[in-house]
Amino acid sequence: MTQATPFLVVLILALVALGFSARKPCTLTGRWVNDLGSNMTIGAVNGKGEFAGSYHTAVTATRNEIQLSPLQGSQHRTNNKGQPTFGFTVNWSFSDSVTVFTGQCFMDEDGKEVLKTMWLLRSRVDNINDDWKATR
């Protein structure tokens, strides 16, 4: 039995390594919905890490009718961990504002893709004295 022990250890290590390497990488391409009901669609990420898509927000501070808005972004090339960082800009079609998002794509314990992001919204103001209230 002691001669089989090194073989079993090597076999177990190989199976564990195979399990980690077979893990699906997190991909941005597809449709995403957040907790507030906003949704976005991201098209294919090209070889340079660039992508385009659309964003439909469920929340707004304006009284204008919400419209589908274009987004442009960039993903850091996927590393060997398969959880890339990214950023994108949404140019809101229904207001004089732009939002930039930055984040990372994660695989949770159940193998589900999750985006964690932070955003910064810049609204147009009439003069430089109101600059302080233009960014949220």
Side-chain angles (χ1 to χ4, degrees), residues 77-133:
R77 292 192 220 332
T78 304
N79 58 28
N80 59 359
K81 293 185 175 32
Q83 299 188 127
T85 56
F86 61 89
F88 61 89
T89 302
V90 178
N91 186 356
W92 300 109
S93 300
F94 58 93
S95 71
D96 293 334
S97 59
V98 173
T99 301
V100 293
F101 292 78
T102 186
Q104 186 170 354
C105 188
F106 290 100
M107 297 297 287
D108 70 10
E109 298 81 29
D110 299 324
K112 181 180 174 188
E113 295 170 318
V114 177
L115 301 183
K116 289 295 189 177
T117 63
M118 295 293 289
W119 56 269
L120 194 61
L121 177 126
R122 176 66 188 212
S123 298
R124 188 191 63 77
V125 291
D126 291 327
N127 64 60
I128 196 167
N129 294 330
D130 290 333
D131 181 64
W132 66 271
K133 64 181 179 179

Side-chain angles (χ1 to χ4, degrees), residues 3-85:
Q3 294 174 340
T5 303
F7 174 74
L8 288 174
V9 170
V10 170
L11 180 61
I12 290 170
L13 290 174
L15 290 173
V16 169
L18 180 62
F20 282 117
S21 66
R23 197 180 323 181
K24 183 181 111 180
C26 194
T27 58
L28 295 178
T29 302
R31 186 169 184 270
W32 298 90
V33 180
N34 72 11
D35 343 1
L36 300 174
S38 298
N39 66 77
M40 70 175 171
T41 301
I42 296 178
V45 179
N46 70 20
K48 295 179 186 177
E50 302 161 336
F51 59 88
S54 59
Y55 198 105
H56 191 264
T57 186
V59 296
T60 183
T62 179
R63 292 191 175 114
N64 298 339
E65 180 182 345
I66 294 173
Q67 298 174 13
L68 189 65
S69 299
L71 70 81
Q72 292 284 117
S74 181
Q75 170 188 301
H76 190 271
R77 292 192 220 332
T78 304
N79 58 28
N80 59 359
K81 293 185 175 32
Q83 299 188 127
T85 56

